[in-house]
Amino acid sequence: MASATPRPVRDAIQVTVNGQARSLRTPPARPLLDVLRDDLELTGTKEGCSVGVCGACSILVDGRLMSACLVPVGMVAGREVTTVEGLAGPDGELSRVQRAFLECSGFQCGICTPGQVVAATALLAENPSPTADEVREYMTGNLCRCTGYYSIVRAVLSAAGTSATGDAAKEPA
Ligand code: FES
Ligand code: FES
């Protein structure tokens, strides 16, 4: 009996995730969000809307803020992906943004918090001293059902070393 033709071996996708080289054998069109959560067990990245609207799945790709639900995993081949788990130092020391969210109670239920923290990290890398309005503007893609955003803005300003008083004290209109 003729043997069945072997199926071609799919090339693995090489990517660095939180500083670690990973080799992923998976269809390149799969959402990166699924690969992070289901294959790599990095469940800090949350799934909300699945269509790029809520920001719960925010990650950094080569330092740029992206929604992991919209990124096919093949698109990150050769790139560096950072999830919320990768923001802390190697000894587990929280980043200044993570600390500020804790200190300012920038969360309630917490489901949006990893995305908020990742987005705030990207913001401060681009603009180390944002105003409260700039924080609100940058983070419009990160929805929160709980906090009213005041404590989130306060946390980002605190991480920036900016006073959390003044215009930050105003609730958004
Ligand atoms: S789950 Fe990706 S933006 Fe909402
Ligand atoms: S803290 Fe609950 S959705 Fe933001």
Side-chain angles (χ1 to χ4, degrees):
M1 190 172 101
S3 60
T5 310
R7 296 173 65 184
V9 176
R10 191 188 299 277
D11 285 343
I13 297 165
Q14 310 297 335
V15 57
T16 301
V17 181
N18 297 334
Q20 203 181 339
R22 309 298 294 243
S23 184
L24 306 169
R25 283 196 188 278
T26 191
R30 243 179 110 203
L32 176 59
L33 177 61
D34 293 353
V35 175
L36 290 172
R37 288 182 54 84
D38 299 339
D39 298 11
L40 303 182
E41 298 183 350
L42 293 169
T43 54
T45 305
K46 303 303 181 197
E47 181 160 24
C49 65
S50 311
V51 291
V53 172
C54 74
C57 66
S58 297
I59 52 155
L60 305 177
V61 178
D62 290 342
R64 290 192 52 210
L65 185 62
M66 293 195 182
S67 296
C69 68
L70 295 184
V71 177
V73 64
M75 212 185 94
V76 297
R79 297 179 184 271
E80 192 150 335
V81 173
T82 305
T83 69
V84 70
E85 290 92 342
L87 297 181
D91 53 357
E93 189 190 345
L94 297 181
S95 72
R96 66 190 166 124
V97 174
Q98 290 173 310
R99 275 200 314 276
F101 268 74
L102 276 175
E103 289 162 5
C104 299
S105 301
F107 54 88
Q108 286 184 27
C109 79
I111 193 74
C112 73
T113 309
Q116 303 279 2
V117 167
V118 170
T121 301
L123 163 62
L124 296 185
E126 281 178 32
N127 178 2
S129 302
T131 64
D133 283 343
E134 287 170 336
V135 173
R136 290 189 195 102
E137 170 71 24
Y138 190 91
M139 297 188 53
T140 48
N142 290 83
L143 307 184
C144 177
R145 295 176 181 206
C146 304
T147 65
Y149 300 100
Y150 168 70
S151 55
I152 292 173
V153 173
R154 207 161 58 101
V156 180
L157 293 175
S158 171
T162 309
S163 167
T165 57
D167 62 345
K170 291 186 297 188
E171 286 286 357

